[in-house]
């Protein structure tokens, strides 16, 4: 009886698969014969180098014309989107020069933002804080307040509180937070007693910032709540952020003059940690997301977050974890952090 084992090869002369080494040599030989593989894609290679240089010297891009430097720094992480585009073009052009040059912006981006990709959150901590720009036009203020309170935060800061809705927020948060204060359009709710509460002048003409001392079980903490002026991108004026920049300077001065050793800043700063115009604040405080967060923690716009303009910053305390909360009916996402006093 004859048994069949696989396909009949006829005269046994079927071509066998080449060893991996042979394939590599064939590829090497083809590359050696195709001299144009190094000459093609010079323009793409130059684009990669310029992209890397932009990330390296972004702090030197001038703000004199339309605050261009701050605009670039606000969306700096998104420069990474150009890398796969250049990669695709380099493959289409079959350009070794463009592919090698593409390593430069990839390495620079990873050097700047690679630390944000990993999860740095830890356990422990004494105090949980949360902040949220609730949006003046929020259709469900009570639901938004309860959702933020449901995070379990010991201290909650809210911004963009419309005068007609303040009582709604107060009623919704009264059970969880027996202590609170509203100053202008910003408010602070706490499970622990508040003292020395006052507005902070950030040069706007009305109150959009405040400070209060929270008497936590582990000691006093100065908590600042701020909502810096909005910024706009206009064709005829560029990135209109001058008023925000002046307010950031005033807020930075107030925090620098703070006598309480432990300080927490909660609010919508309308700017990212990369934006040089917030240096008066960021130079003396740490971002909880940068120190103990998971990912970039983008908070705005809520429908498709592209930037973290809502911030939790600390001085004199240790961040343990930082995260973004679920969306509410606001155009911002609420954020929270746990710190050790």
């Amino acid at each position: 009886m004859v048994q069949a084992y696989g396909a009949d090869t006829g005269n046994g002369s079927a071509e066998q698969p080449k060893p991996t080494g042979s394939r590599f040599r064939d590829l090497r030989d083809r590359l050696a014969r195709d001299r144009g593989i190094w000459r093609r894609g010079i323009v793409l290679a130059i684009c990669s180098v310029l992209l890397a240089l932009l990330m390296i010297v972004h702090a030197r891009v001038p703000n004199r014309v339309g605050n261009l430097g701050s605009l670039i720094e606000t969306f700096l992480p998104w420069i990474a989107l150009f890398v796969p585009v250049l990669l695709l073009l380099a493959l289409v052009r079959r350009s070794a020069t463009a592919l090698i040059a593409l390593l430069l912006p990839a390495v620079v981006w990873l050097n700047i933002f690679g630390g944000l990709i990993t999860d740095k959150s830890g356990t422990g901590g004494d105090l949980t804080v949360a902040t949220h720009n609730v949006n003046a036009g929020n259709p469900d203020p009570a639901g938004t307040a309860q959702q933020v309170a449901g995070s379990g935060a010991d201290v909650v800061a809210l911004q963009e509180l419309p005068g007609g809705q303040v009582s709604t927020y107060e009623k919704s948060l009264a059970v969880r937070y027996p202590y609170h204060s509203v100053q202008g359009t910003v408010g602070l709710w706490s499970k622990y007693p508040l003292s020395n509460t006052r507005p902070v002048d950030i040069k706007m003409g009305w109150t959009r910032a405040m400070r209060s001392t929270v008497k936590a079980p582990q000691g006093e903490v100065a908590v600042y709540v701020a909502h810096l002026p909005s910024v706009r991108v206009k064709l005829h004026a560029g990135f209109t952020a001058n008023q925000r920049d002046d307010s950031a300077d005033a807020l930075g001065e107030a925090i620098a003059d703070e006598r309480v050793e432990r300080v927490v800043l909660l609010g919508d700063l309308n700017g990212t940690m990369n934006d040089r115009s917030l240096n008066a604040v960021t130079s003396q405080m740490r971002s909880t997301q940068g120190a103990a967060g998971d990912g970039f923690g983008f908070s705005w716009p809520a429908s498709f977050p592209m930037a973290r303009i809502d911030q939790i910053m600390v001085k004199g305390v240790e961040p343990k974890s930082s995260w973004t909360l679920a969306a509410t009916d606001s155009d911002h996402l609420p954020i929270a952090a746990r710190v050790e006093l």
Side-chain angles (χ1 to χ4, degrees):
M1 183 175 62
V2 178
Q3 291 181 331
Y5 294 90
D8 186 1
T9 58
N11 60 9
S13 61
E15 183 178 352
Q16 299 298 316
K18 290 185 178 181
T20 302
S22 298
R23 293 177 181 176
F24 176 78
R25 284 193 296 271
D26 288 346
L27 177 61
R28 182 192 61 190
D29 293 340
R30 285 199 299 269
L31 292 178
R33 290 192 299 270
D34 186 5
R35 300 296 182 182
I37 198 170
W38 299 104
R39 293 193 296 268
R40 291 192 298 268
I42 299 299
V43 173
L44 292 176
I46 292 174
C47 290
S48 293
V49 173
L50 292 177
L51 192 64
L53 286 175
L54 179 61
M55 289 186 283
I56 293 172
V57 303
H58 66 84
R60 296 183 178 275
V61 177
N63 257 345
R64 291 188 296 272
V65 180
N67 289 300
L68 180 61
S70 288
L71 178 60
I72 292 173
E73 289 166 339
T74 298
F75 299 102
L76 194 62
W78 293 93
I79 284 182
L81 293 179
F82 289 102
V83 173
V85 174
L86 290 173
L87 173 61
L88 178 61
L89 293 175
L91 292 174
V92 170
R93 292 284 292 151
R94 294 194 308 169
S95 168
T97 301
L99 286 172
I100 293 173
L102 193 58
L103 291 174
L104 186 59
V107 170
V108 172
W109 189 92
L110 287 173
N111 183 60
I112 298 174
F113 299 109
L116 292 174
I117 299 176
T118 58
D119 184 359
K120 299 174 293 299
S121 58
T123 58
D126 307 310
L127 188 73
T128 301
V129 297
T131 181
H132 190 27
N133 179 327
V134 296
N135 188 359
N138 193 314
D140 184 17
T144 295
Q146 292 169 3
Q147 189 169 331
V148 176
S151 66
D154 303 306
V155 176
V156 170
L158 301 180
Q159 305 89 50
E160 208 168 295
L161 294 168
Q165 298 289 353
V166 169
S167 60
T168 302
Y169 286 101
E170 289 174 333
K171 292 177 182 177
S172 300
L173 297 172
V175 175
R176 291 177 183 262
Y177 303 99
Y179 308 97
H180 87 280
S181 175
V182 175
Q183 305 284 330
T185 60
V186 297
L188 184 66
W189 279 259
S190 173
K191 294 180 179 179
Y192 309 120
L194 303 177
S195 64
N196 298 323
T197 303
R198 61 178 182 270
V200 174
D201 183 11
I202 55 173
K203 313 301 181 184
M204 291 190 63
W206 69 96
T207 302
R208 290 203 351 179
M210 62 176 288
R211 66 85 63 201
S212 185
T213 301
V214 176
K215 295 184 177 180
Q218 294 78 17
E220 293 186 344
V221 185
V223 177
Y224 283 75
V225 184
H227 182 194
L228 298 188
S230 299
V231 297
R232 297 287 186 271
V233 180
K234 300 179 180 179
L235 291 178
H236 66 281
F239 193 53
T240 57
N242 293 336
Q243 188 178 19
R244 183 212 57 183
D245 299 347
D246 293 340
S247 292
D249 291 342
L251 178 62
E253 291 178 10
I255 294 173
D257 293 338
E258 177 59 54
R259 296 186 178 182
V260 176
E261 180 181 355
R262 292 174 286 202
V263 183
V264 175
L265 170 62
L266 307 168
D268 173 7
L269 303 190
N270 273 306
T272 67
M273 293 295 294
N274 295 317
D275 192 337
R276 77 195 70 173
S277 296
L278 300 185
N279 280 349
V281 177
T282 57
S283 62
Q284 58 179 317
M285 306 191 79
R286 299 173 67 191
S287 163
T288 59
Q289 184 67 26
D294 181 9
F296 289 94
F298 295 146
S299 64
W300 177 88
S303 56
F304 187 81
M306 297 182 65
R308 186 179 177 89
I309 63 175
D310 301 276
Q311 305 289 352
I312 299 177
M313 299 185 199
V314 298
K315 181 169 68 173
V317 303
E318 185 66 24
K320 288 298 182 180
S321 57
S322 186
W323 63 96
T324 302
L325 300 173
T328 68
D329 282 319
S330 171
D331 57 339
H332 292 244
L333 294 178
I335 60 176
R338 188 153 181 83
V339 300
E340 183 176 76
L341 303 182

